[in-house]
């Protein structure tokens, strides 16, 4: 048996349960969890913003750890290997998988959403979703890299970001601090970080961004002032509030591309002529990330192009009360940075 913190019902606190250690199939890897990040999406699941099934389920899709056991058909991993997990479990044979777009796999599932995730002592996952974690990357960083960093890296690719372009990042939390660094590493002319938290803005500035305090100024006006009235070529919206989504659209330049990343149950209203047609501006939805992107991301961390040390605010034990408390703060948008569970 093992301990797992599980979601029993929507709108109710997570609970600690004792459940069996998963049995390993021929193509599976059993990982002893060493770190599991708490993503804002997890709080959205508890709040019913995004559906989760079946219930009860173990949440947690940002996971790293040590291989405990491998299936008989697995040859590229062995017990004791340090690993991080791609949270999408896909078939590898459908049209989407063959195109390298496994986030839309016809039979795929996401750990911590449609199958048991990493808020536990052990997790079972197919070997195709497992990646070696280099010794120089701590487990805590390896975990959050698998979602917050990977998602914004995917967002920058989806908006066709090019070196020499300007970028605005709405939300300087766990995703935003990765976005600031990745945009800079990929050649951004300038990155603007928008938030209301002075500490997060301080960190964004440390990583090279121009801070924009939305509590003290209109961020759209400020960004346009910085850019000579044009706005930025690329905008990443990482919060999911109606106000910040509107601001993201308004901050985009002619030919601008806006990536909507933050989960939201709110509607986004756009003026079709003034904001889309007249500017040939694009609004692009971002769903997850791809396995093919992860080796590059891991290499960027190893090369110190992406520093996740200060992205993590603190760690908590595998404890339902502690995790629910973090969720409560996230529900009020009162917590910034990434919290990591260390079983």
């Amino acid at each position: 048996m093992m301990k797992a913190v599980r979601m029993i019902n929507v709108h109710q606190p997570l609970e600690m349960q004792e459940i069996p250690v998963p049995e390993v199939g021929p193509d599976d890897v059993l990982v002893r969890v060493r770190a599991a990040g708490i993503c804002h999406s997890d709080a959205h699941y508890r709040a019913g913003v995004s559906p989760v099934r079946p219930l009860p389920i173990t949440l947690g899709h940002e996971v790293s750890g040590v291989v405990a056991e491998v299936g008989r058909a697995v040859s590229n991993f062995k017990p004791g290997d340090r690993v991080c997990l791609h949270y999408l479990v896909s078939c590898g044979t459908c049209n989407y998988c063959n195109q390298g777009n496994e986030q839309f796999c016809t039979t795929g599932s996401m750990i911590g959403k449609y199958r048991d995730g990493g808020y536990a002592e052990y997790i079972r996952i197919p070997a195709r979703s497992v990646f070696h974690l280099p010794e120089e990357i701590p487990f805590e960083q390896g975990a959050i890299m698998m979602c917050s960093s990977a998602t914004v890296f995917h967002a920058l690719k989806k908006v066709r970001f090019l070196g020499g372009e300007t970028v605005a990042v709405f939300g300087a939390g766990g995703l935003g601090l990765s976005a600031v660094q990745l945009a800079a590493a990929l050649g951004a002319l300038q990155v603007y970080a928008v938030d209301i938290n002075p500490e997060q803005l301080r960190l964004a500035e440390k990583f090279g961004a121009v801070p924009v305090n939305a509590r003290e100024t209109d961020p759209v006006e400020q960004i346009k002032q910085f850019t000579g009235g044009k706005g930025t070529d690329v905008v990443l919206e990482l919060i999911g509030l109606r106000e910040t989504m509107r601001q993201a659209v308004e901050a985009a330049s002619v030919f601008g591309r806006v990536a909507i990343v933050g989960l939201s149950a709110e509607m986004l209203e756009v003026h079709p002529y003034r904001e889309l047609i007249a500017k040939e501006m694009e609004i692009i939805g971002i769903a997850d990330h791809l396995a093919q992107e992860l080796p590059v991301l891991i290499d960027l961390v190893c090369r110190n192009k992406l520093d996740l040390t200060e992205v993590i605010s603190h760690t908590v034990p595998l404890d339902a009360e502690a995790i629910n408390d973090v969720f409560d703060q996230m529900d009020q948008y009162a917590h910034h940075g990434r919290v990591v569970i260390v079983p």
Side-chain angles (χ1 to χ4, degrees):
M1 302 293 286
M2 69 174 186
K3 295 178 180 179
V5 174
R6 314 192 83 204
M7 180 172 157
I8 310 303
N9 283 302
V10 179
H11 306 302
Q12 294 185 8
L14 306 187
E15 297 180 14
M16 177 73 82
Q17 293 187 338
E18 291 270 346
I19 62 175
V21 176
E23 294 184 4
V24 176
D27 299 310
D28 292 335
V29 173
L30 181 68
V31 176
R32 183 174 184 86
V33 177
R34 294 291 301 274
I38 300 179
C39 180
H40 205 148
S41 296
D42 298 336
H44 286 316
Y45 299 159
R46 189 188 69 169
V49 173
S50 183
V52 176
R53 59 180 183 271
L55 294 176
I57 193 170
T58 306
L59 296 186
H61 54 270
E62 303 180 354
V63 186
S64 67
V66 175
V67 174
E69 184 182 347
V70 299
R72 65 176 184 273
V74 177
S75 60
N76 52 336
F77 296 98
K78 64 182 185 304
D81 284 351
R82 304 173 84 253
V83 294
C84 48
L85 309 185
H86 178 39
Y87 63 56
L88 295 170
V89 175
S90 57
C91 70
T93 58
C94 70
N95 286 339
Y96 289 118
C97 286
N98 284 333
Q99 294 165 3
N101 296 312
E102 71 271 10
Q103 76 269 51
F104 299 111
C105 174
T106 54
T107 60
S109 60
M110 177 179 175
I111 64 174
K113 184 172 172 67
Y114 300 124
R115 56 187 289 153
D116 283 335
Y119 289 10
E121 294 179 304
Y122 291 92
I123 181 173
R124 176 188 63 198
I125 192 167
R128 62 182 289 110
S129 294
V130 182
F131 287 77
H132 288 283
L133 182 66
E135 289 285 347
E136 54 264 47
I137 303 178
F139 287 111
E140 294 85 355
Q141 295 182 30
I144 67 168
M145 183 174 60
M146 291 293 99
C147 175
S148 60
S149 302
T151 298
V152 293
F153 186 54
H154 179 65
L156 288 166
K157 292 174 69 67
K158 282 289 291 183
V159 297
R160 307 183 306 281
F161 168 73
L162 298 172
E165 292 188 314
T166 54
V167 181
V169 177
F170 280 77
L175 276 78
L177 293 177
S178 287
V180 165
Q181 295 180 73
L182 287 169
L186 297 173
L189 180 64
Q190 185 63 69
V191 182
Y192 304 95
V194 181
D195 208 293
I196 60 174
N197 184 297
E199 176 60 20
Q200 295 306 120
L201 289 171
R202 182 193 68 78
L203 289 174
E205 186 174 23
K206 175 182 176 180
F207 291 129
V210 174
V212 178
N213 191 326
R215 195 185 294 279
E216 299 176 350
T217 186
D218 181 326
V220 176
E221 297 268 338
Q222 189 71 69
I223 288 170
K224 288 191 173 180
Q225 182 178 331
F226 285 140
T227 58
K230 296 186 300 182
T232 60
D233 302 299
V234 167
V235 185
L236 305 184
E237 200 290 324
L238 310 176
I239 302 170
L241 294 175
R242 184 192 299 270
E243 182 179 10
T244 54
M245 289 190 290
R246 278 295 318 152
Q247 291 169 342
V249 170
E250 293 169 3
S253 67
V254 171
F255 303 128
R257 288 92 69 203
V258 179
I260 302 295
V261 182
L263 292 184
S264 179
E266 301 184 67
M267 297 295 291
L268 170 60
E269 294 183 355
V270 178
H271 193 289
Y273 176 73
R274 186 178 68 249
E275 295 176 328
L276 289 179
I277 297 172
K279 295 168 63 177
E280 290 201 5
M281 188 264 285
E282 301 173 56
I283 300 174
I284 301 170
I286 304 301
D288 305 308
H289 55 271
L290 303 174
Q292 62 187 271
E293 296 162 346
L294 296 178
V296 176
L297 187 65
I298 292 170
D299 192 49
L300 286 170
V301 178
C302 289
R303 294 172 181 268
N304 298 316
K305 299 293 186 181
L306 177 59
D307 180 2
L308 299 175
T309 306
E310 296 187 78
V311 173
I312 299 169
S313 61
H314 64 282
T315 62
V316 295
L318 184 64
D319 176 81
E321 183 177 356
I323 297 168
N324 281 311
D325 182 61
V326 175
F327 279 24
D328 292 342
Q329 295 179 55
M330 287 179 164
D331 286 342
Q332 301 301 318
Y333 291 87
H335 192 278
H336 294 259
R338 222 41 163 200
V339 181
V340 179
I341 300 165
V342 179

